[in-house]
């Protein structure tokens, strides 16, 4: 029975770097990396996110960069936030008509969920880019290059992080954005270990962000719960798609895999970490042409035993905690799922429902601890929802 029952990974799309108007990567002239897209972003680039999310039944998580929306020049004089600290004048550069079109589409998009990403994605000193990541910097500000060794980078302190969060939400309010932001993705990974970044989790909670997705070399597994914040690993990028690639044939991408061809297991990952251009076409009018390919790609992933398609960031994060921390005890008469370690983690965003996938040769019934219902049927297995009834374990029988 052991290989015929599994708590699946819930795969969530995190589509990095929405919010830019200018797509160009200007790191060669000490500017921000942006999306690397060779044109300006327009409303149709947001509409296709909603269309893809609707096609796969998932609210796509979209880390949002708001510096180019700064119509009140709030970033002027803000230390390290831009490459033109004293002369910042974004208010004069915004195409307000297009910005309003983008705003309208973004706010109406049911399947587009914002995450807090930052202001301009980087860290500058005297107009020189020291890092592509907004919330880490070289341990010495005399090291005037963005190419310092990775282990030289240290997290910013809470005062710096809070100043960026507050400025972000001021710009957010200037435009009238209304969607609740409940998750965070730090630009360009996280540096150092969990202890060195624990203060960040405390600050995120203060602003209602209880989910965190990132690539993070220090976290080698599916998830961590850091002072109540659920962190999920953001590393699965099929076929190592470049961040600035566009016009992708989604159906040709590699499938999610739990191990390499030589049998070595991968670190489990709950996030398909791609970037905004990866879902776009050069001509905005052609963006809808890619939607069906993405629908088919995710339909294919949903048929992999041990995998399911997340509904949103909360769904993926909660299921990750259940998968990692549940203890499964197989008995002659069924299965007992011990949830003590799940509850003991103190995850703030934990759902009272989790999911198991069972090969179709077995039919489960709930004996205690949860109400069981069919969630999805697939060719080789069925995924069931288990809605907990309060106990610290769930007992199942099979026939």
């Amino acid at each position: 029975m052991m290989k015929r029952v599994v708590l699946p990974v819930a795969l969530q799309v995190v589509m990095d770097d929405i919010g830019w108007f200018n797509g160009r990567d200007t790191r060669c002239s000490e500017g921000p990396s942006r999306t690397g897209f060779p044109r300006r972003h327009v409303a149709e680039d947001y509409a296709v996110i909603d269309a893809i999310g609707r096609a796969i039944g998932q609210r796509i998580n979209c880390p949002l960069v708001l510096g180019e929306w700064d119509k009140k020049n709030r970033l002027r004089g803000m230390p390290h936030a831009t490459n033109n600290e004293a002369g910042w004048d974004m208010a004069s550069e915004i195409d307000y008509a297009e910005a309003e079109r983008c705003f309208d589409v973004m706010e109406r998009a049911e399947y587009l969920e914002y995450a807090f990403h930052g202001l301009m994605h980087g860290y500058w000193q005297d107009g020189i880019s020291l890092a592509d990541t907004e919330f880490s910097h070289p341990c010495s500000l005399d090291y005037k290059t963005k190419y310092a060794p990775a282990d030289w980078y240290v997290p910013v302190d809470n005062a710096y992080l809070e100043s960026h969060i507050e400025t972000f939400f001021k710009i957010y309010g200037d435009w009238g954005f209304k969607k609740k932001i409940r998750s965070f993705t730090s630009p360009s990974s996280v540096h150092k270990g969990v202890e060195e970044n624990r203060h960040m989790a405390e600050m995120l909670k203060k602003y209602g962000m209880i989910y965190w997705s990132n690539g993070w070399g220090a976290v080698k597994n599916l998830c961590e719960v850091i002072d109540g914040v659920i962190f999920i690993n953001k590393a699965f990028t099929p076929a190592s798609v470049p961040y600035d690639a566009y016009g992708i044939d989604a159906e040709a991408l590699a499938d999610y895999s739990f191990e390499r061809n030589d049998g070595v297991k991968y670190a489990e990952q709950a996030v398909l970490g791609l970037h905004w251009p990866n879902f776009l076409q050069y001509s905005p009018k052609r963006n809808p042409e890619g939607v069906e390919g993405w629908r088919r790609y995710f339909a294919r992933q949903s048929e992999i035993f041990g995998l399911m398609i997340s509904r949103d960031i909360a769904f993926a994060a909660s299921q990750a905690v259940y998968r990692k921390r549940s203890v499964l005890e197989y008995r002659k008469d069924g299965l007992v799922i011990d949830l003590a370690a799940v509850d003991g983690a103190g995850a703030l965003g934990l759902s009272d429902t989790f999911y198991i996938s069972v090969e179709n040769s077995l039919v489960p019934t709930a004996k205690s601890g949860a109400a069981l219902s069919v969630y999805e049927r697939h060719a080789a297995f069925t995924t069931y929802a288990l809605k907990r009834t309060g106990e610290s374990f769930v007992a199942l029988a099979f026939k």
Side-chain angles (χ1 to χ4, degrees):
M1 187 191 299
M2 291 181 64
K3 293 184 179 180
R4 299 160 71 187
V5 181
V6 66
L7 274 69
V9 174
L11 187 60
Q12 173 68 41
V13 179
V14 175
M15 190 186 298
D16 254 345
D17 294 332
I18 75 161
W20 296 102
F21 291 119
N22 183 358
R24 292 286 185 179
D25 182 346
T26 54
R27 283 176 289 183
C28 60
S29 55
E30 304 299 343
S33 55
R34 298 192 177 91
T35 62
F37 201 49
R39 64 162 169 81
R40 292 186 67 81
H41 288 287
V42 293
E44 289 82 358
D45 296 340
Y46 295 98
V48 75
I49 301 173
D50 189 52
I52 293 169
R54 188 177 302 277
I56 69 174
Q58 179 181 114
R59 292 176 68 197
I60 294 177
N61 190 258
C62 296
L64 176 62
V65 180
L66 273 185
E68 291 190 339
W69 293 75
D70 185 13
K71 63 182 178 181
K72 293 189 176 180
N73 287 333
R74 295 186 181 275
L75 273 61
R76 184 180 295 166
M78 191 173 182
H80 310 300
T82 73
N83 65 339
N84 189 11
E85 197 170 301
W88 175 263
D89 184 19
M90 186 56 64
S92 68
E93 298 182 26
I94 297 172
D95 179 341
Y96 288 90
E98 186 58 44
E100 289 288 354
R101 287 184 69 234
C102 292
F103 171 83
D104 289 343
V105 172
M106 294 164 76
E107 285 292 284
R108 291 198 314 268
E110 182 181 353
Y111 290 89
L112 189 163
E113 178 175 355
Y114 312 136
F116 171 63
H117 204 34
L119 298 173
M120 289 296 287
H121 203 285
Y123 190 102
W124 287 266
Q125 173 75 15
D126 301 326
I128 296 173
S129 174
L130 299 190
D132 288 332
T133 174
E134 192 162 328
F135 303 118
S136 300
H137 59 78
C139 55
S140 170
L141 296 185
D142 293 328
Y143 198 93
K144 296 266 174 68
T145 174
K146 64 175 86 55
Y147 302 111
D151 60 358
W152 280 40
Y153 287 89
V154 295
V156 299
D157 60 25
N158 262 352
Y160 189 91
L161 176 60
E162 186 162 31
S163 71
H164 282 239
I165 295 174
E166 288 187 343
T167 302
F168 177 98
F169 281 111
K170 286 176 181 177
I171 298 172
Y172 200 78
D174 291 341
W175 285 88
F177 286 104
K178 300 296 183 185
K179 292 183 179 181
K180 179 178 174 58
I181 292 180
R182 54 182 179 165
S183 61
F184 167 66
T185 296
S186 180
S188 298
S189 190
V190 181
H191 293 87
K192 301 297 183 183
V194 171
E195 289 307 314
E196 292 92 337
N197 287 276
R198 191 174 295 278
H199 66 288
M200 297 186 73
E202 289 300 317
M203 187 58 63
L204 296 177
K205 285 192 297 184
K206 179 178 177 179
Y207 287 88
M209 291 177 273
I210 57 174
Y211 307 108
W212 180 354
S213 68
N214 257 114
W216 191 352
V219 178
K220 304 293 188 184
N221 50 53
L222 181 62
C223 67
E224 293 287 346
V225 180
I226 307 172
D227 293 342
V229 176
I230 303 177
F231 171 88
I232 52 176
N233 222 327
K234 173 180 173 286
F236 172 56
T237 303
S240 299
V241 175
Y243 93 106
D244 56 354
Y246 60 92
I248 288 175
D249 177 5
E251 290 185 84
L253 296 178
D255 291 332
Y256 187 103
S257 177
F258 291 98
E259 59 183 43
R260 303 197 312 238
N261 291 335
D262 58 4
V264 176
K265 290 187 179 299
Y266 284 123
E268 292 184 357
Q269 300 142 9
V271 172
L272 190 149
L274 293 173
H275 290 78
W276 195 12
N278 303 152
F279 297 84
L280 304 179
Q281 307 292 323
Y282 182 76
S283 170
K285 293 180 180 180
R286 295 185 61 187
N287 282 343
E289 295 176 11
V291 174
E292 177 60 15
W294 286 108
R295 187 198 66 76
R296 292 181 181 179
Y297 175 77
F298 282 99
R300 199 171 79 219
Q301 305 317 294
S302 73
E303 294 295 329
I304 297 173
F305 187 60
L307 202 65
M308 66 188 304
I309 306 305
S310 170
R311 296 306 178 198
D312 60 24
I313 191 70
F315 189 111
S318 182
Q319 180 66 12
V321 176
Y322 279 105
R323 178 179 170 90
K324 179 184 177 184
R325 290 180 166 265
S326 298
V327 177
L328 278 61
E329 181 185 349
Y330 296 92
R331 300 176 178 177
K332 289 183 178 180
D333 60 344
L335 170 67
V336 173
I337 306 173
D338 186 343
L339 302 172
V342 172
D343 297 337
L348 295 174
L350 191 71
S351 173
D352 66 354
T353 300
F354 66 103
Y355 301 85
I356 61 167
S357 294
V358 181
E359 288 189 359
N360 287 334
S361 58
L362 296 174
V363 179
T365 57
K367 295 172 61 178
S368 62
L372 182 145
S373 60
V374 173
Y375 179 72
E376 290 179 333
R377 295 190 185 278
H378 296 278
F381 62 91
T382 299
T383 298
Y384 298 86
L386 288 166
K387 185 174 177 60
R388 299 175 60 182
T389 56
E391 295 90 335
S392 62
F393 65 91
V394 171
L396 302 177
F398 294 93
K399 58 181 180 179

